[in-house]
Amino acid sequence: LTALQELEDNFEGYFRGVKEVMVAAQRNDLKGIVGVVSNLIEVPGNLDVAIEVALGGDLQDIVTRNVESAKAAIQFLKNHNYGRATFLPLDFLHSDFPNHGIDGVLKRSGVIGLARNLVKYDKEIETAARYLFGNTIVVETLDIAIGLERDGMRQRYVSLAGDIVNPRGVLSGGSHKTRGLLSRARELAELRTKKVELETRV
């Protein structure tokens, strides 16, 4: 727990620009920073890989309360030559996606559900969550996704193993590292609970 917490506190594994902004926000040098996407969503263990792959680099996007906070953070990165980061201002994001045929897809065998409905997040970042996940649908296997595409149900699909099929028929997949940013956050939560249980037993 201590080792993982230190990694999280120091934003190890994050892009430099993201790390510097978050450290500055912790020092109160930057205002209006809500947090990094990977720390703002809670994902069930069996969906770690699917959600991590579905979001990709967006896991390190920084949610801000407004455009002004994002602008200030960008200027901060420029001033110190700390690299780049992507910001999601809650008062500026557009998160409307057409949902033609979604209901029909969700009723099909092997379909687990809309990604954004399978994770937990604070209502405050609803706009960011809708923007990030769009109409991405989690399915059990790559074959199910391919079958749905062939049936004319053109959506963005991600399998539990992390394979992606996009609406234009492009496939991506392969091996996936065992511990990503999402699994680290979930493991931290599980270890905190375990620690309380063990202390109670002691």
Side-chain angles (χ1 to χ4, degrees), residues 49-110:
V49 173
I51 299 300
E52 186 132 9
V53 169
L55 289 178
D58 290 338
L59 267 175
Q60 298 199 36
D61 289 357
I62 298 171
V63 179
T64 64
R65 298 197 191 286
N66 49 52
V67 174
E68 293 308 314
S69 300
K71 280 175 58 181
I74 289 171
Q75 192 59 52
F76 166 79
L77 291 173
K78 287 178 179 176
N79 292 345
H80 296 87
N81 200 26
Y82 281 153
R84 300 172 65 85
T86 298
F87 298 88
L88 309 180
L90 293 172
D91 69 338
F92 195 63
L93 278 179
H94 300 286
S95 60
D96 298 325
F97 290 87
N99 63 348
H100 308 304
I102 287 282
D103 292 339
V105 174
L106 296 177
K107 293 173 183 174
R108 294 287 291 265
S109 175

Side-chain angles (χ1 to χ4, degrees), residues 116-154:
R116 69 171 180 264
N117 294 338
L118 297 171
V119 301
K120 293 181 181 177
Y121 51 84
D122 195 290
K123 195 71 178 171
E124 178 189 15
I125 68 159
E126 174 79 33
T127 306
R130 292 182 68 85
Y131 161 78
L132 289 164
F133 290 110
N135 289 335
T136 298
I137 296 170
V138 181
V139 297
E140 291 175 358
T141 66
L142 175 59
D143 285 339
I144 287 169
I146 291 171
L148 290 165
E149 278 288 315
R150 281 185 169 150
D151 287 347
M153 296 182 167
R154 303 201 174 280

